[in-house]
Amino acid sequence: MSKIRHDPVAPTRAQLLPSGTGIDAHRHDDHQIAYAARGVVAITTDAGSWVAPGNRALWIPAGTIHAHQAHGDLELHLVGLPATENPLALDRPTVLAVGPLLRELIIAYTRAPEDDSPERSRLRAVLLDQLRASPRQPLHLPTPTTPLLHALCGLLHEDPADRRTLAELGRAVGASDRTLSRLFRADLGMTFPQWRTQLRLHHALVLLAEGVPVTAVAHRCGWASASAFIDVFRRTFGHTPGGPPAR
């Protein structure tokens, strides 16, 4: 993310992005909400990555340097909010649950003409009310800062299906499992199994958006069986990987 564009105003709009394309690193003076009505949207910052399917949205605080990536053909809906208006009181990117009403509000608000009409003001007020009530989701994949974790996590990014234990991976990077366990908690704020599950889920969302069959996704992301993958996916996202998000 070496070339960083500064767009003072975060746009409110709907746009289509073909699979594999994205929006380069930039920052806004406003907050922004990113929602994928179709496909999967990911944002990446220096602190990590966040991925959201159709029943999740991404909160991007003002000033955050971030890039968007489309997985699957993406129907992206963006809502800009002034920096002085933070209905969630969040200062870091966060994944939010999107129920049927919030989904329709975001779509309607980003497609309606931008004006100062009473109708648009009411639509915006209800949208903000729904945002305040949206549960936050632990779907952040943090980026390591220590060299040891950077090397270890790089191995698993290359092959999420790698089933080696932490001790076995430690031998590959020259550290004990005890040292690595401590680093995961101190540097990434989670345990190694938690981080690996997040990594696998992120990869799974990308593969599903690209049309890879569920059984193949389970295998390529390291689950022992398709049923084990489906169970974790359902508990995390509220629907099965072969089914649509809740509407």
Side-chain angles (χ1 to χ4, degrees), residues 1-6 23-27 44-46 65-67:
M1 300 171 68
S2 56
K3 296 181 180 179
I4 300 166
R5 188 176 73 254
H6 178 211
I23 301 173
D24 292 338
H26 62 285
R27 63 183 176 89
T44 301
T45 75
D46 288 341
I65 299 171
H66 64 286

Side-chain angles (χ1 to χ4, degrees), residues 53-206:
N55 60 349
R56 301 290 187 270
L58 295 164
W59 170 264
I60 307 166
T64 302
I65 299 171
H66 64 286
H68 298 269
Q69 181 70 28
H71 299 291
D73 290 334
L74 177 64
E75 181 185 328
L76 179 63
H77 295 262
L78 299 170
V79 177
L81 296 172
T84 54
E85 190 167 9
N86 188 339
L88 302 169
L90 293 171
D91 60 2
R92 64 185 62 187
T94 305
V95 177
L96 305 170
V98 174
L101 177 56
L102 180 55
R103 167 188 163 81
E104 297 306 324
L105 287 167
I106 291 173
I107 291 174
Y109 190 73
T110 54
R111 287 178 175 170
E114 291 197 45
D115 55 33
D116 296 324
S117 66
E119 292 82 6
R120 185 168 177 81
S121 296
R122 289 194 294 270
L123 180 61
R124 187 175 186 276
V126 178
L127 192 158
L128 293 178
D129 283 342
Q130 287 296 304
L131 275 178
R132 293 185 186 96
S134 296
R136 302 167 194 179
Q137 306 292 312
L139 295 174
H140 173 210
L141 184 66
T143 297
T145 60
T146 62
L148 278 174
L149 286 192
H150 190 270
L152 186 151
C153 293
L155 294 174
L156 296 179
H157 270 291
E158 291 177 4
D159 181 14
D162 189 332
R163 296 184 185 178
R164 281 181 288 180
T165 66
L166 188 58
E168 291 169 333
L169 289 165
R171 287 193 287 274
V173 299
S176 69
D177 56 344
R178 183 174 181 177
T179 295
L180 292 170
S181 291
R182 177 178 55 79
L183 287 175
F184 265 98
R185 290 186 175 89
D187 189 19
L188 303 182
M190 59 180 62
T191 66
F192 169 65
Q194 288 171 333
W195 187 90
R196 178 150 66 179
T197 297
Q198 291 289 303
L199 173 71
R200 289 174 171 177
L201 285 170
H202 279 224
H203 276 272
L205 286 170
V206 170

Side-chain angles (χ1 to χ4, degrees), residues 231-247:
D231 181 60
V232 173
F233 193 97
R234 182 191 294 112
R235 285 189 280 110
T236 303
F237 298 110
H239 62 91
T240 63
R247 292 289 188 258

